[in-house]
Amino acid sequence: MLPVLPLTHDWSLHDAPSSRRIEAAALARHPPHTLIECAGLAVARLALALKPSGKAALVVAGPGNNGGDGLIAARQLAARGWSVEILLIGTEPATGTDAAHALATARQAGLAIHRGLPTRTRPADLVIDALLGLGASRAPEGEFADAIRAINEGRGAGATVLAVDLPSGLDVRTGQPLGTDAVRADHTITFLTLKTGLFTGEGRALAGRIWFDELGAPVGENGIAKLVGAPHIGLWQRAHERSATSHKGRHGDVVVLGGAPTMRGAAWLAASAALSAGAGRVYAALPDDDGQPWPARPELMHWDFARWHAPSAEWREVVAVCGCGGGAAIAAALSTVLHAATRVVLDADALNLIAGDESLQEATRKRAAHGWETILTPHPLEAARLLGEASATSVQADRLEAARQLAARFQATVVLKGSGSVVATPGRRPAINSTGSSALATAGSGDVLAGWIGGLWAQSPGISPHQLAMTAVAWHGAAAEGHAGPLLAADLIESMKALHAPSR
């Protein structure tokens, strides 16, 4: 058993079907009831580690194997002197199943098992949520919904909540609650596979700290996605360590297209991020450029809008970061960039312009046919507009699928921002980023990410956009971890730059 975060390597992520296949293979390798006994013991061991001075536990168990894990954990805790109260919700397990074995052994051990919710439960140091598992596919109702509310009330009263496999009421694949009721756990221990829903959407908030026990079973499938994080920062740094003869001409050029009047801060943040990421030269292409130096960043250079009308050979190899505070004023230049630049990052206003203009959509789609590379960095509402949806709700309902659809529609790499940002590219397994915190929920943090992508890309023209995006989002999130309260975007750049020097 080990904590999943912070990551030391990439992990495969699974949905319910692939998890069930791996579970079936593991069950076939062991005598009956071996696996559920191991899982229940692992829950109990984690409970003891989390609450070393604890004495009382409440176990809320459903009728499936998830409930069986909880019942065995209850038996193990009782054997170690804990006072254990068990609430059995729903029907009794089917005869001959692992869950039925768990219930029978709990009764043989003399544990008191209550059917349904009593009017009152004893105070508990620990509540084990073993109510619903992989099989949950609809909103909890009746006594299941009541049990979820009771678990959350226990947490509110000071108990630590430990969820088994995933918090009850959470969709295993999408990371969204199946209905209005879902357990908010302090810790989740998941078995055999890591589930996508634990790492994106609301899953990150509901699961708490995530622990993994493979129960000795090798994972034989790659899964539907992979979990990535801070190790990609070190990989990039080692691959791009600078030599003594390095100079700015070797590290590429970035042009930030944006910064219309009243929105220049967005362009300033993106350009500053590109510069701090290590790009050799960074320009700002402003629709209404007064030629004045940039505040506190005299290293940033101005890009005359007239240069877009020069032969594209003069600028097509720059990395164009488009849309940071540009508004409608950048529409013509955006079209020019889409039709000629070899590497483009599309953010914010560029995405909104593309969503509302079929000709810009077509230009974006056709870039791949020319061998040109494109990265889109939408937040959920921008993604909804690009997909023709009325609101962000449908995007958030299935973030993995929304990112895949966008990548396929525009033949580009997509970074769907948010809790557990998703990176999707046609023909590649999507990735979910494990770094970050609510400190990033602040104005301008998306401009910083777009600029950082551009700055890294300028230095590594041969890198795949998928790998680049994974590295950038991991870097962006890692810089915010441990920060209390909102992290201002300009301070975020400094935090990201502080992670830039390789450790020795």
Side-chain angles (χ1 to χ4, degrees), residues 82-333:
W82 279 49
S83 171
V84 181
E85 185 174 8
I86 300 173
L87 307 182
L88 186 63
I89 308 299
T91 59
E92 291 206 3
T95 302
T97 63
D98 278 349
H101 158 80
L103 180 58
T105 57
R107 285 174 171 155
Q108 290 165 11
L111 300 184
I113 301 173
H114 306 286
R115 294 301 305 274
L117 290 173
T119 56
R120 187 174 182 180
T121 58
R122 296 192 298 268
D125 302 303
L126 179 79
V127 177
I128 295 177
D129 164 29
L131 187 62
L132 299 171
L134 284 176
S137 59
R138 56 190 176 88
E141 299 175 343
E143 61 178 343
F144 288 92
D146 292 339
I148 288 173
R149 288 192 286 269
I151 292 169
N152 289 335
E153 287 169 6
R155 183 175 186 267
T160 296
V161 173
L162 170 58
V164 178
D165 221 22
L166 70 158
S168 292
L170 183 73
D171 187 280
V172 64
R173 182 179 179 280
T174 68
Q176 297 302 330
L178 291 163
T180 56
D181 295 297
V183 165
R184 182 172 290 273
D186 297 292
H187 299 267
T188 296
I189 180 169
T190 193
F191 298 115
L192 295 173
T193 61
L194 291 178
K195 286 75 178 176
T196 56
L198 295 173
F199 299 97
T200 194
E202 294 296 318
R204 285 170 63 100
L206 295 176
R209 190 174 191 192
I210 299 168
W211 303 79
F212 178 58
D213 196 324
E214 61 186 6
L215 302 179
V219 176
E221 293 190 26
N222 285 330
I224 65 168
K226 66 179 180 177
L227 185 68
V228 300
H232 284 267
I233 302 170
L235 290 173
W236 194 94
Q237 290 169 338
R238 289 190 291 274
H240 297 85
E241 201 165 7
R242 297 193 174 189
S243 70
T245 59
S246 181
H247 59 81
K248 66 182 181 183
R250 292 182 179 176
H251 303 300
D253 296 347
V254 174
V255 178
V256 175
L257 172 60
T262 76
M263 296 185 285
R264 289 199 177 175
W268 182 86
L269 289 167
S272 296
L275 193 67
S276 294
R281 290 171 293 219
V282 181
Y283 301 83
L286 307 176
D288 185 18
D289 194 345
D290 58 13
Q292 296 300 307
W294 289 81
R297 283 269 74 101
E299 306 94 331
L300 300 177
M301 295 180 283
H302 294 261
W303 179 277
D304 189 340
F305 246 58
R307 292 182 70 176
W308 298 125
H309 304 296
S312 63
E314 295 183 12
W315 54 262
R316 67 192 310 267
E317 298 301 326
V318 304
V319 177
V321 178
C322 304
C324 302
I330 66 168

Side-chain angles (χ1 to χ4, degrees), residues 425-445:
T425 302
R428 300 287 297 266
R429 257 199 314 162
I432 295 177
N433 179 46
S434 67
T435 66
S437 72
S438 59
L440 290 173
T442 185
S445 63

